Amino acid sequence: LSFDGLIQDITERKQAEEALKQTIERLNALMGVARTITSTLDLSALLNHLLHRLLDVIPAADVGAIYLYDLETQMLVPGACLGFDSEAFRQISLLPGESISGKVFQTGHSVLARTHEESEALRRDLRPENMQLLSLVRRGLHIQSNICVPLRAPTGEVIGTFSMGSTHTAF
C-alpha cells in the first residue's frame, strides 16, 4: 500500500463514517416521531415533537412553523412553532393566499425564499393584525431564508403547511 493509497483509504473511511452518522441521526429522529405518534393523541404535542425532530435533522434551519387548515373558519391556524414566541404565534390565522404559508396552501407548491428580501416580499400581503403579531412572533429575529412546503393528506389534498427558516445562512 502506498502512502497515497493509505490517505485515500482513510479519507473514504471518514466519509463513510460521516454518512453513517447522518443516517443514524435521521433514523433516530424518525423513531422519536414514531414513539410520539404511538404515545399520544394530542395533536399539538405531536406537531411540536415533529417540528423539533425535523429541525434537528436540517442543520441550516433554526426556526419553524406548522399551520393546519381549519375547515370551520376556512383559515390556516397555528399547529406548532419553534424558535418563535409561541403565545403570539397562536394568535395568527392566515387566509389562503396570505403570506408564504397561505400561498403554499393555496397553490400546493413549495416556496424557497433564498434571501431576507424574498421572504419579506412574500409577506407584503399580510393583514395588518397579522403584521403586528408577526413582529411579536419573531422577537427581533432576522430570517435570512425560508422554505415552505404543503402538508398533504393521503388523498393528496393540502391540509396545511410546514415552514422553516434560517437566521444565519441561506438554504
Side-chain angles (χ1 to χ4, degrees):
L1 211 189
S2 71
F3 185 70
D4 288 337
L6 181 62
I7 290 176
Q8 182 177 351
D9 186 48
I10 291 171
T11 301
E12 288 172 358
R13 182 176 293 158
K14 286 188 182 231
Q15 289 172 342
E17 287 173 1
E18 183 59 33
L20 179 61
K21 180 181 170 189
Q22 289 176 357
T23 300
I24 289 170
E25 287 174 6
R26 288 186 184 114
L27 288 173
N28 282 333
L30 287 173
M31 285 185 353
V33 169
R35 277 193 297 272
T36 301
I37 288 171
T38 59
S39 69
T40 184
L41 295 177
D42 180 357
L43 181 60
S44 179
L46 176 62
L47 291 175
N48 275 298
H49 184 79
L50 178 62
L51 186 58
H52 277 83
R53 290 298 186 165
L54 286 169
L55 293 184
D56 283 347
V57 297
I58 303 170
D62 51 3
V63 296
I66 295 174
Y67 285 95
L68 299 174
Y69 187 67
D70 183 322
L71 290 170
E72 190 174 304
T73 63
Q74 296 186 354
M75 299 187 86
L76 287 164
V77 296
C81 76
L82 180 63
F84 297 120
D85 181 308
S86 60
E87 282 297 315
F89 176 74
R90 280 193 283 269
Q91 298 175 49
I92 294 178
S93 293
L94 300 172
L95 294 167
E98 181 181 10
S99 192
I100 298 171
S101 288
K103 286 175 179 58
V104 168
F105 175 79
Q106 191 173 54
T107 65
H109 298 289
S110 301
V111 168
L112 168 61
R114 289 188 169 92
T115 66
H116 176 74
E117 291 74 23
E118 287 177 13
S119 291
E120 291 307 307
L122 290 166
R123 288 189 185 90
R124 284 195 187 119
D125 61 354
L126 272 170
R127 290 174 291 139
E129 61 270 25
N130 281 336
M131 187 64 80
Q132 185 177 8
L133 286 168
L134 185 63
S135 66
L136 294 173
V137 166
R138 286 189 173 176
R139 298 178 302 194
L141 292 173
H142 187 78
I143 297 175
Q144 296 295 321
S145 61
N146 194 305
I147 296 172
C148 188
V149 298
L151 298 176
R152 295 184 185 276
T155 61
E157 175 187 15
V158 179
I159 59 169
T161 64
F162 164 60
S163 158
M164 64 185 146
S166 174
T167 60
H168 58 279
T169 188
F171 288 115

